[in-house]
Amino acid sequence: MINMIRADFYRLLRSRGFWISQILFVTFFSFLIFAKSAGNAGIMRQEAVSIDDKLVRTWTAANTMQAFSLMSSMVVFFLLASTMILIGTDLTHRTIKNQLTSGISRGTFFISKYLTFFILSFCQLIAFYGLAFVVGGLKNGWGDLT
């Protein structure tokens, strides 16, 4: 299973679609920091709206992290492209049979795909918050890092 995960990451990191989605990821969220605007893909409660109004005034690195916590649902849209590349490659090239005939069960195949997606989404969230902290800090100052 570890070799399947390594192969999935090898194939993912060598695809153009993955790198295009990552460039769009960095560009989109950097633009939101430079524009000092927060977006949300979901339903917001009144408490979240009041936090969002407070953050509009100051966009230091610490406040950018809070604003991006409200926007973390936007990461899912960028993860969709990577997931489709990850799963779609095996389905379009019909390489599932090759892996299954090598002695790997279907359960192991799907567990390895799930673990690959889990590791990828964890790395994407780290990149999301790291980008928010670094770009927000370089542009607007670091603020109170308590």
Side-chain angles (χ1 to χ4, degrees), residues 8-142:
D8 284 338
F9 275 113
Y10 180 83
R11 204 172 21 218
L12 189 68
L13 293 175
R14 302 292 187 281
S15 67
R16 283 180 291 185
F18 175 75
W19 291 111
I20 290 171
S21 68
Q22 295 307 304
I23 289 170
L24 289 173
F25 175 83
V26 170
T27 305
F28 177 72
F29 289 117
S30 297
F31 178 73
L32 288 179
I33 293 171
F34 284 113
K36 296 183 180 179
S37 64
N40 191 1
I43 299 171
M44 291 184 70
R45 296 183 314 205
Q46 188 62 32
E47 297 88 21
V49 173
S50 65
I51 292 171
D52 194 30
D53 291 339
K54 181 180 84 171
L55 290 173
V56 169
R57 286 174 264 156
T58 59
W59 274 74
T60 60
N63 290 340
T64 304
M65 294 284 285
Q66 289 178 351
F68 269 47
S69 292
L70 293 173
M71 294 177 12
S72 62
S73 61
M74 302 288 279
V75 177
V76 173
F77 295 115
F78 290 98
L79 278 173
L80 285 175
S82 301
T83 305
M84 290 299 110
I85 293 169
L86 183 69
I87 296 172
T89 304
D90 289 329
L91 295 175
T92 57
H93 297 297
R94 297 181 181 171
T95 57
I96 294 174
K97 287 184 179 182
N98 295 342
Q99 294 174 1
L100 293 178
T101 57
S102 68
I104 296 171
S105 67
R106 289 178 193 257
T108 305
F109 175 78
F110 287 113
I111 288 172
S112 70
K113 291 293 181 185
Y114 176 75
L115 287 175
T116 306
F117 174 71
F118 181 74
I119 293 168
L120 180 67
S121 61
F122 182 72
C123 292
Q124 193 82 8
L125 279 175
I126 289 174
F128 176 71
Y129 284 114
L131 179 77
F133 186 74
V134 170
V135 174
L138 290 175
K139 182 176 184 317
N140 302 316
W142 302 101

